[in-house]
Amino acid sequence: MSELGVGRPTKRRAGAAVGGLPVADSRPVLDGDAVLGSRCTVCRYPTTQQGLPWCPVCYEATEPDRFARTGKVWSSTVVAIPVGTRRPPFGLAYLDLDDGPRVLVHLAEPAVLEPGARLEITGTDDGDLVATRMEQ
Ligand SMILES: [Zn+2]
């Protein structure tokens, strides 16, 4: 009889950095002028999640795709408590990429933006996407 959980990856393990199993990094990846992801070959569902074995909507095959760095704010907020190494206040937004999925981005300025405001992903900070407001 095997010990419960031994040899099986679980979300309770702390990750490779502290001697556990590696934990998948679910954050979107910026590659030059595009956000990396994949798109379903059948229903065209886009996602930036890496390494998905099949489409999360219809279970068909996916193909790699590249999405625009620009999009519209769906929602945003200013965080007033420390999170990880982030010191408050800092801004977060959900950004609907122009030809792709919705991604979470850090804002260059701690400000609440109106829905529909145009943002451009300008880089990364500690692996998180950072976006700034586009000139009108
Ligand atoms: Zn699909």
Side-chain angles (χ1 to χ4, degrees):
M1 197 154 117
S2 65
E3 201 175 330
L4 187 64
V6 170
R8 299 171 57 196
T10 75
K11 290 183 176 178
R12 293 187 181 167
R13 298 194 183 199
V18 289
L21 292 175
V23 174
D25 188 341
S26 59
R27 294 177 296 181
V29 175
L30 182 67
D31 178 35
D33 63 347
V35 178
L36 297 183
S38 62
R39 191 181 292 271
C40 178
T41 56
V42 176
C43 75
R44 307 307 294 162
Y45 178 82
T47 180
T48 58
Q49 196 172 338
Q50 305 294 307
L52 287 182
W54 51 68
C55 172
V57 174
C58 72
Y59 308 112
E60 294 292 339
T62 61
E63 58 190 5
D65 203 351
R66 297 170 66 85
F67 305 118
R69 287 186 300 131
T70 54
K72 289 180 182 174
V73 170
W74 178 70
S75 183
S76 73
T77 191
V78 173
V79 179
I81 60 172
V83 178
T85 58
R86 304 268 175 193
R87 304 183 70 156
F90 60 91
L92 290 174
Y94 276 112
L95 179 62
D96 287 332
L97 298 178
D98 285 331
D99 58 352
R102 182 172 292 161
V103 294
L104 182 67
V105 297
H106 281 261
L107 298 175
E109 303 292 328
V112 174
L113 304 177
E114 71 276 11
R118 299 282 303 162
L119 294 183
E120 179 177 20
I121 295 169
T122 52
T124 59
D125 180 11
D126 274 349
D128 295 319
L129 300 180
V130 177
T132 55
R133 185 189 277 269
M134 295 176 74
E135 300 300 324
Q136 297 300 312

